[in-house]
Amino acid sequence: VQLQASGGGLVQPGGSLRLSCVGSGSIFDIDYMGWFRQGSGKRRELVAAMAANGRTNYADFVKGRFTISRDNAKNTVYLQMNSLKPEDTAVYYCNIPTGLSGTWVLSSWGQGTLVTVSS
């Protein structure tokens, strides 16, 4: 399954964005889906992951602000981002992690979608 992330853009601090990740095929049987990000000059890191049974894992820096969800009927995973901060500026990617920790992924990294938080 190839994944395509979209929904990024420029937003002011405190604002919200919703990212979408659409699969080229069904994601129904995929155990885990995840969002990752890479800021300029930084390593790529896990933002949030979701299991098929609904269990989630969030990075400490987004807990209480971001929400991951999936719509299997639409082959889509979402990342609702609220209370955005300048330090959330990054390219956001979706992928298929092997677990909720997001240490390993199964798909190639696409182009991602750029989120810029700035006034």
Side-chain angles (χ1 to χ4, degrees):
V1 175
Q2 298 297 312
L3 303 171
Q4 180 64 52
S6 63
L10 174 64
V11 62
Q12 292 186 342
S16 299
L17 279 177
R18 189 177 77 157
L19 306 183
S20 299
C21 173
V22 180
S24 60
S26 174
I27 66 169
F28 180 81
D29 292 323
I30 297 178
D31 291 333
Y32 302 97
M33 296 294 296
W35 284 97
F36 302 76
R37 74 184 188 186
Q38 186 169 19
S40 180
K42 299 181 179 179
R43 296 176 58 186
R44 187 150 35 206
E45 58 189 353
L46 175 73
V47 175
M50 186 173 193
N53 63 8
R55 289 180 60 204
T56 56
N57 178 38
Y58 292 95
D60 287 343
F61 51 78
V62 303
K63 282 182 179 177
R65 299 188 298 125
F66 291 11
T67 302
I68 187 172
S69 62
R70 61 193 286 173
D71 185 337
N72 291 334
K74 296 182 178 180
N75 298 325
T76 302
V77 180
Y78 301 100
L79 184 68
Q80 178 65 45
M81 306 187 296
N82 299 326
S83 302
L84 283 160
K85 305 175 181 180
E87 50 264 43
D88 294 319
T89 295
V91 178
Y92 284 72
Y93 304 86
C94 56
N95 211 310
I96 303 171
T98 57
L100 285 175
S101 68
T103 303
W104 304 101
V105 296
L106 299 176
S107 185
S108 59
W109 295 105
Q111 291 185 342
T113 185
L114 176 62
V115 173
T116 303
V117 185
S118 176
S119 55

